[in-house]
Amino acid sequence: MSSHPRPHAERVAYGDGPSRFAELSLPSGTPKGVVVVIHGGFWKAAYDLSLGRPLAASLVEHGWVAWNIEYRRVGDGGGDPQTLDDVAAAIDALADQDLPRDRVIALGHSAGGHLAAWAASRDRFERWPTQVDLTGVVCQAGVLDLWSAYAEGLGGGAVQAFLGHPPGPGDIPLDPLHQTPLDVPVHCVHSVGDDTVPITQSRGYVRAATEGGAVARLTEVQGDHFTVIDPESEAWKQTLAILDGL
């Protein structure tokens, strides 16, 4: 069990429906910035933002505002494009909060890593005009290449379920690998022993991003798929240091 007590979290709706809300937690004193926590679970309704609460507690303890977002998932009215619409709307809802916006970092795990990296590219597309700009992205064991994730059957066919079909040319705007290079730094944290989302997802993304001239780095850690979201792990200590450097 985490030693981090859960901070007070204000539930903030950013749209209609039971899955369109965020939990806002504030640190004492002047915040370092805002971290948008995007939970994983292969975009499936079986998983929710409770996965992000331990990280939100640790972030607040270390001086960050935590904006832990929920969104419609597959089985809950989500998938493409609803999930993406919700993530965009949740981030833009920060414009309605009295918070600093000079440092807004998306932190996403697994499928949430996909959504975090995608969110940093959404201003390229007319469907998702951007009100709040991200200044950095941290992907924890992120699904960053939808094509290889589909080919490898990650999440028991999760990519096809999310898209509604096998990935094709029309899905390029949704794929982080295809959107390299980004204009903001992306730092991947991935366990070498991850057998849920293999580390090749992060290695391939960082390689492509850096070859394209972007700022992208990979921190390889020991453990499994969930080590990176354990607030007591060495991987999380390293992630906190990465956030401080962004």
PDB file of all heavy atoms in Angstrom, residues 67-92:
ATOM      1  N   TRP A  67      -3.925  16.860 -12.131  1.00  0.00           N
ATOM      2  CA  TRP A  67      -5.190  16.906 -12.857  1.00  0.00           C
ATOM      3  C   TRP A  67      -5.399  15.505 -13.419  1.00  0.00           C
ATOM      4  O   TRP A  67      -4.939  15.156 -14.494  1.00  0.00           O
ATOM      5  CB  TRP A  67      -5.092  17.965 -13.958  1.00  0.00           C
ATOM      6  CG  TRP A  67      -6.284  18.248 -14.808  1.00  0.00           C
ATOM      7  CD1 TRP A  67      -6.394  18.006 -16.152  1.00  0.00           C
ATOM      8  CD2 TRP A  67      -7.520  18.879 -14.437  1.00  0.00           C
ATOM      9  NE1 TRP A  67      -7.616  18.441 -16.629  1.00  0.00           N
ATOM     10  CE2 TRP A  67      -8.323  18.985 -15.597  1.00  0.00           C
ATOM     11  CE3 TRP A  67      -8.022  19.358 -13.228  1.00  0.00           C
ATOM     12  CZ2 TRP A  67      -9.598  19.557 -15.574  1.00  0.00           C
ATOM     13  CZ3 TRP A  67      -9.289  19.927 -13.197  1.00  0.00           C
ATOM     14  CH2 TRP A  67     -10.052  20.021 -14.359  1.00  0.00           C
ATOM     15  N   ASN A  68      -6.042  14.659 -12.620  1.00  0.00           N
ATOM     16  CA  ASN A  68      -6.206  13.242 -12.917  1.00  0.00           C
ATOM     17  C   ASN A  68      -7.499  13.068 -13.701  1.00  0.00           C
ATOM     18  O   ASN A  68      -8.589  13.260 -13.151  1.00  0.00           O
ATOM     19  CB  ASN A  68      -6.238  12.451 -11.605  1.00  0.00           C
ATOM     20  CG  ASN A  68      -6.288  10.941 -11.806  1.00  0.00           C
ATOM     21  OD1 ASN A  68      -5.890  10.431 -12.846  1.00  0.00           O
ATOM     22  ND2 ASN A  68      -6.778  10.224 -10.799  1.00  0.00           N
ATOM     23  N   ILE A  69      -7.388  12.724 -14.983  1.00  0.00           N
ATOM     24  CA  ILE A  69      -8.562  12.786 -15.856  1.00  0.00           C
ATOM     25  C   ILE A  69      -9.187  11.417 -16.108  1.00  0.00           C
ATOM     26  O   ILE A  69      -8.509  10.405 -16.193  1.00  0.00           O
ATOM     27  CB  ILE A  69      -8.235  13.474 -17.198  1.00  0.00           C
ATOM     28  CG1 ILE A  69      -7.312  12.611 -18.071  1.00  0.00           C
ATOM     29  CG2 ILE A  69      -7.619  14.851 -16.969  1.00  0.00           C
ATOM     30  CD1 ILE A  69      -7.153  13.142 -19.504  1.00  0.00           C
ATOM     31  N   GLU A  70     -10.508  11.447 -16.208  1.00  0.00           N
ATOM     32  CA  GLU A  70     -11.261  10.299 -16.699  1.00  0.00           C
ATOM     33  C   GLU A  70     -11.722  10.618 -18.110  1.00  0.00           C
ATOM     34  O   GLU A  70     -11.776  11.790 -18.512  1.00  0.00           O
ATOM     35  CB  GLU A  70     -12.446  10.001 -15.779  1.00  0.00           C
ATOM     36  CG  GLU A  70     -13.141   8.674 -16.061  1.00  0.00           C
ATOM     37  CD  GLU A  70     -12.194   7.489 -16.029  1.00  0.00           C
ATOM     38  OE1 GLU A  70     -11.485   7.264 -17.053  1.00  0.00           O
ATOM     39  OE2 GLU A  70     -12.149   6.806 -15.001  1.00  0.00           O
ATOM     40  N   TYR A  71     -12.080   9.597 -18.843  1.00  0.00           N
ATOM     41  CA  TYR A  71     -12.503   9.763 -20.231  1.00  0.00           C
ATOM     42  C   TYR A  71     -13.308   8.537 -20.640  1.00  0.00           C
ATOM     43  O   TYR A  71     -13.218   7.473 -20.007  1.00  0.00           O
ATOM     44  CB  TYR A  71     -11.296   9.946 -21.157  1.00  0.00           C
ATOM     45  CG  TYR A  71     -10.213   8.882 -20.980  1.00  0.00           C
ATOM     46  CD1 TYR A  71     -10.261   7.684 -21.694  1.00  0.00           C
ATOM     47  CD2 TYR A  71      -9.156   9.057 -20.087  1.00  0.00           C
ATOM     48  CE1 TYR A  71      -9.294   6.711 -21.528  1.00  0.00           C
ATOM     49  CE2 TYR A  71      -8.184   8.081 -19.909  1.00  0.00           C
ATOM     50  CZ  TYR A  71      -8.258   6.919 -20.631  1.00  0.00           C
ATOM     51  OH  TYR A  71      -7.293   5.950 -20.452  1.00  0.00           O
ATOM     52  N   ARG A  72     -14.116   8.688 -21.671  1.00  0.00           N
ATOM     53  CA  ARG A  72     -14.878   7.540 -22.163  1.00  0.00           C
ATOM     54  C   ARG A  72     -13.927   6.507 -22.763  1.00  0.00           C
ATOM     55  O   ARG A  72     -13.007   6.858 -23.507  1.00  0.00           O
ATOM     56  CB  ARG A  72     -15.890   7.991 -23.204  1.00  0.00           C
ATOM     57  CG  ARG A  72     -17.072   8.756 -22.621  1.00  0.00           C
ATOM     58  CD  ARG A  72     -17.963   9.336 -23.696  1.00  0.00           C
ATOM     59  NE  ARG A  72     -17.317  10.455 -24.379  1.00  0.00           N
ATOM     60  CZ  ARG A  72     -17.856  11.128 -25.393  1.00  0.00           C
ATOM     61  NH1 ARG A  72     -19.049  10.784 -25.854  1.00  0.00           N
ATOM     62  NH2 ARG A  72     -17.203  12.131 -25.958  1.00  0.00           N
ATOM     63  N   ARG A  73     -14.174   5.250 -22.394  1.00  0.00           N
ATOM     64  CA  ARG A  73     -13.337   4.153 -22.864  1.00  0.00           C
ATOM     65  C   ARG A  73     -14.162   3.160 -23.676  1.00  0.00           C
ATOM     66  O   ARG A  73     -15.389   3.248 -23.714  1.00  0.00           O
ATOM     67  CB  ARG A  73     -12.702   3.401 -21.672  1.00  0.00           C
ATOM     68  CG  ARG A  73     -11.579   4.178 -20.983  1.00  0.00           C
ATOM     69  CD  ARG A  73     -12.031   4.904 -19.732  1.00  0.00           C
ATOM     70  NE  ARG A  73     -12.628   4.069 -18.717  1.00  0.00           N
ATOM     71  CZ  ARG A  73     -13.619   4.504 -17.911  1.00  0.00           C
ATOM     72  NH1 ARG A  73     -14.124   5.708 -18.059  1.00  0.00           N
ATOM     73  NH2 ARG A  73     -14.090   3.725 -16.968  1.00  0.00           N
ATOM     74  N   VAL A  74     -13.482   2.210 -24.298  1.00  0.00           N
ATOM     75  CA  VAL A  74     -14.167   1.178 -25.077  1.00  0.00           C
ATOM     76  C   VAL A  74     -15.054   0.364 -24.125  1.00  0.00           C
ATOM     77  O   VAL A  74     -14.586  -0.169 -23.119  1.00  0.00           O
ATOM     78  CB  VAL A  74     -13.156   0.260 -25.787  1.00  0.00           C
ATOM     79  CG1 VAL A  74     -13.872  -0.883 -26.502  1.00  0.00           C
ATOM     80  CG2 VAL A  74     -12.311   1.060 -26.768  1.00  0.00           C
ATOM     81  N   GLY A  75     -16.353   0.290 -24.441  1.00  0.00           N
ATOM     82  CA  GLY A  75     -17.323  -0.337 -23.560  1.00  0.00           C
ATOM     83  C   GLY A  75     -18.075   0.668 -22.733  1.00  0.00           C
ATOM     84  O   GLY A  75     -19.023   0.333 -22.017  1.00  0.00           O
ATOM     85  N   ASP A  76     -17.672   1.956 -22.827  1.00  0.00           N
ATOM     86  CA  ASP A  76     -18.292   3.037 -22.061  1.00  0.00           C
ATOM     87  C   ASP A  76     -18.554   4.222 -22.992  1.00  0.00           C
ATOM     88  O   ASP A  76     -18.461   5.380 -22.590  1.00  0.00           O
ATOM     89  CB  ASP A  76     -17.360   3.436 -20.910  1.00  0.00           C
ATOM     90  CG  ASP A  76     -17.903   4.572 -20.064  1.00  0.00           C
ATOM     91  OD1 ASP A  76     -19.127   4.638 -19.876  1.00  0.00           O
ATOM     92  OD2 ASP A  76     -17.095   5.406 -19.594  1.00  0.00           O
ATOM     93  N   GLY A  77     -18.823   3.933 -24.253  1.00  0.00           N
ATOM     94  CA  GLY A  77     -19.072   4.999 -25.217  1.00  0.00           C
ATOM     95  C   GLY A  77     -17.811   5.596 -25.799  1.00  0.00           C
ATOM     96  O   GLY A  77     -17.871   6.614 -26.504  1.00  0.00           O
ATOM     97  N   GLY A  78     -16.654   4.975 -25.521  1.00  0.00           N
ATOM     98  CA  GLY A  78     -15.388   5.514 -25.989  1.00  0.00           C
ATOM     99  C   GLY A  78     -14.845   4.800 -27.202  1.00  0.00           C
ATOM    100  O   GLY A  78     -15.550   4.082 -27.907  1.00  0.00           O
ATOM    101  N   GLY A  79     -13.559   4.983 -27.441  1.00  0.00           N
ATOM    102  CA  GLY A  79     -12.916   4.554 -28.671  1.00  0.00           C
ATOM    103  C   GLY A  79     -12.645   5.776 -29.518  1.00  0.00           C
ATOM    104  O   GLY A  79     -12.762   6.918 -29.067  1.00  0.00           O
ATOM    105  N   ASP A  80     -12.271   5.540 -30.771  1.00  0.00           N
ATOM    106  CA  ASP A  80     -12.027   6.637 -31.708  1.00  0.00           C
ATOM    107  C   ASP A  80     -13.357   7.086 -32.311  1.00  0.00           C
ATOM    108  O   ASP A  80     -14.096   6.263 -32.855  1.00  0.00           O
ATOM    109  CB  ASP A  80     -11.089   6.143 -32.815  1.00  0.00           C
ATOM    110  CG  ASP A  80     -10.898   7.140 -33.933  1.00  0.00           C
ATOM    111  OD1 ASP A  80     -10.953   8.351 -33.657  1.00  0.00           O
ATOM    112  OD2 ASP A  80     -10.700   6.704 -35.092  1.00  0.00           O
ATOM    113  N   PRO A  81     -13.724   8.398 -32.207  1.00  0.00           N
ATOM    114  CA  PRO A  81     -12.904   9.516 -31.714  1.00  0.00           C
ATOM    115  C   PRO A  81     -13.241   9.978 -30.306  1.00  0.00           C
ATOM    116  O   PRO A  81     -12.652  10.939 -29.813  1.00  0.00           O
ATOM    117  CB  PRO A  81     -13.258  10.620 -32.712  1.00  0.00           C
ATOM    118  CG  PRO A  81     -14.732  10.395 -32.954  1.00  0.00           C
ATOM    119  CD  PRO A  81     -14.912   8.885 -32.941  1.00  0.00           C
ATOM    120  N   GLN A  82     -14.222   9.329 -29.650  1.00  0.00           N
ATOM    121  CA  GLN A  82     -14.735   9.870 -28.390  1.00  0.00           C
ATOM    122  C   GLN A  82     -13.659   9.986 -27.306  1.00  0.00           C
ATOM    123  O   GLN A  82     -13.590  10.987 -26.577  1.00  0.00           O
ATOM    124  CB  GLN A  82     -15.902   9.016 -27.890  1.00  0.00           C
ATOM    125  CG  GLN A  82     -17.148   9.073 -28.759  1.00  0.00           C
ATOM    126  CD  GLN A  82     -17.123   8.077 -29.898  1.00  0.00           C
ATOM    127  OE1 GLN A  82     -16.116   7.400 -30.120  1.00  0.00           O
ATOM    128  NE2 GLN A  82     -18.236   7.961 -30.619  1.00  0.00           N
ATOM    129  N   THR A  83     -12.816   8.952 -27.194  1.00  0.00           N
ATOM    130  CA  THR A  83     -11.755   8.996 -26.187  1.00  0.00           C
ATOM    131  C   THR A  83     -10.828  10.180 -26.433  1.00  0.00           C
ATOM    132  O   THR A  83     -10.442  10.901 -25.498  1.00  0.00           O
ATOM    133  CB  THR A  83     -10.962   7.685 -26.204  1.00  0.00           C
ATOM    134  OG1 THR A  83     -11.822   6.610 -25.788  1.00  0.00           O
ATOM    135  CG2 THR A  83      -9.762   7.743 -25.268  1.00  0.00           C
ATOM    136  N   LEU A  84     -10.480  10.398 -27.675  1.00  0.00           N
ATOM    137  CA  LEU A  84      -9.581  11.492 -28.028  1.00  0.00           C
ATOM    138  C   LEU A  84     -10.247  12.841 -27.793  1.00  0.00           C
ATOM    139  O   LEU A  84      -9.621  13.779 -27.270  1.00  0.00           O
ATOM    140  CB  LEU A  84      -9.145  11.336 -29.478  1.00  0.00           C
ATOM    141  CG  LEU A  84      -8.479   9.984 -29.765  1.00  0.00           C
ATOM    142  CD1 LEU A  84      -8.569   9.657 -31.237  1.00  0.00           C
ATOM    143  CD2 LEU A  84      -7.052   9.971 -29.287  1.00  0.00           C
ATOM    144  N   ASP A  85     -11.523  12.945 -28.150  1.00  0.00           N
ATOM    145  CA  ASP A  85     -12.265  14.176 -27.877  1.00  0.00           C
ATOM    146  C   ASP A  85     -12.242  14.501 -26.392  1.00  0.00           C
ATOM    147  O   ASP A  85     -12.083  15.668 -25.994  1.00  0.00           O
ATOM    148  CB  ASP A  85     -13.714  14.039 -28.339  1.00  0.00           C
ATOM    149  CG  ASP A  85     -13.865  13.960 -29.849  1.00  0.00           C
ATOM    150  OD1 ASP A  85     -12.905  14.300 -30.584  1.00  0.00           O
ATOM    151  OD2 ASP A  85     -14.959  13.558 -30.298  1.00  0.00           O
ATOM    152  N   ASP A  86     -12.413  13.471 -25.570  1.00  0.00           N
ATOM    153  CA  ASP A  86     -12.470  13.687 -24.127  1.00  0.00           C
ATOM    154  C   ASP A  86     -11.127  14.120 -23.564  1.00  0.00           C
ATOM    155  O   ASP A  86     -11.063  15.029 -22.722  1.00  0.00           O
ATOM    156  CB  ASP A  86     -12.940  12.413 -23.421  1.00  0.00           C
ATOM    157  CG  ASP A  86     -14.427  12.153 -23.608  1.00  0.00           C
ATOM    158  OD1 ASP A  86     -15.090  12.963 -24.291  1.00  0.00           O
ATOM    159  OD2 ASP A  86     -14.919  11.140 -23.077  1.00  0.00           O
ATOM    160  N   VAL A  87     -10.058  13.487 -24.001  1.00  0.00           N
ATOM    161  CA  VAL A  87      -8.733  13.870 -23.508  1.00  0.00           C
ATOM    162  C   VAL A  87      -8.423  15.310 -23.894  1.00  0.00           C
ATOM    163  O   VAL A  87      -7.917  16.101 -23.081  1.00  0.00           O
ATOM    164  CB  VAL A  87      -7.660  12.898 -24.026  1.00  0.00           C
ATOM    165  CG1 VAL A  87      -6.260  13.414 -23.703  1.00  0.00           C
ATOM    166  CG2 VAL A  87      -7.865  11.505 -23.421  1.00  0.00           C
ATOM    167  N   ALA A  88      -8.755  15.678 -25.125  1.00  0.00           N
ATOM    168  CA  ALA A  88      -8.549  17.056 -25.558  1.00  0.00           C
ATOM    169  C   ALA A  88      -9.365  18.019 -24.709  1.00  0.00           C
ATOM    170  O   ALA A  88      -8.861  19.062 -24.257  1.00  0.00           O
ATOM    171  CB  ALA A  88      -8.920  17.198 -27.031  1.00  0.00           C
ATOM    172  N   ALA A  89     -10.632  17.690 -24.470  1.00  0.00           N
ATOM    173  CA  ALA A  89     -11.495  18.564 -23.690  1.00  0.00           C
ATOM    174  C   ALA A  89     -11.036  18.656 -22.238  1.00  0.00           C
ATOM    175  O   ALA A  89     -11.105  19.727 -21.615  1.00  0.00           O
ATOM    176  CB  ALA A  89     -12.935  18.059 -23.753  1.00  0.00           C
ATOM    177  N   ALA A  90     -10.568  17.542 -21.694  1.00  0.00           N
ATOM    178  CA  ALA A  90     -10.111  17.537 -20.300  1.00  0.00           C
ATOM    179  C   ALA A  90      -8.891  18.433 -20.119  1.00  0.00           C
ATOM    180  O   ALA A  90      -8.776  19.168 -19.129  1.00  0.00           O
ATOM    181  CB  ALA A  90      -9.791  16.118 -19.857  1.00  0.00           C
ATOM    182  N   ILE A  91      -7.965  18.382 -21.059  1.00  0.00           N
ATOM    183  CA  ILE A  91      -6.787  19.238 -20.973  1.00  0.00           C
ATOM    184  C   ILE A  91      -7.183  20.703 -21.143  1.00  0.00           C
ATOM    185  O   ILE A  91      -6.742  21.579 -20.382  1.00  0.00           O
ATOM    186  CB  ILE A  91      -5.734  18.817 -22.007  1.00  0.00           C
ATOM    187  CG1 ILE A  91      -5.195  17.423 -21.673  1.00  0.00           C
ATOM    188  CG2 ILE A  91      -4.588  19.829 -22.063  1.00  0.00           C
ATOM    189  CD1 ILE A  91      -4.299  16.822 -22.744  1.00  0.00           C
ATOM    190  N   ASP A  92      -8.052  20.989 -22.101  1.00  0.00           N
ATOM    191  CA  ASP A  92      -8.464  22.371 -22.334  1.00  0.00           C
ATOM    192  C   ASP A  92      -9.279  22.930 -21.177  1.00  0.00           C
ATOM    193  O   ASP A  92      -9.335  24.155 -20.985  1.00  0.00           O
ATOM    194  CB  ASP A  92      -9.259  22.471 -23.636  1.00  0.00           C
ATOM    195  CG  ASP A  92      -8.369  22.427 -24.864  1.00  0.00           C
ATOM    196  OD1 ASP A  92      -7.139  22.602 -24.709  1.00  0.00           O
ATOM    197  OD2 ASP A  92      -8.889  22.221 -25.973  1.00  0.00           O
TER     198      ASP A  92
END
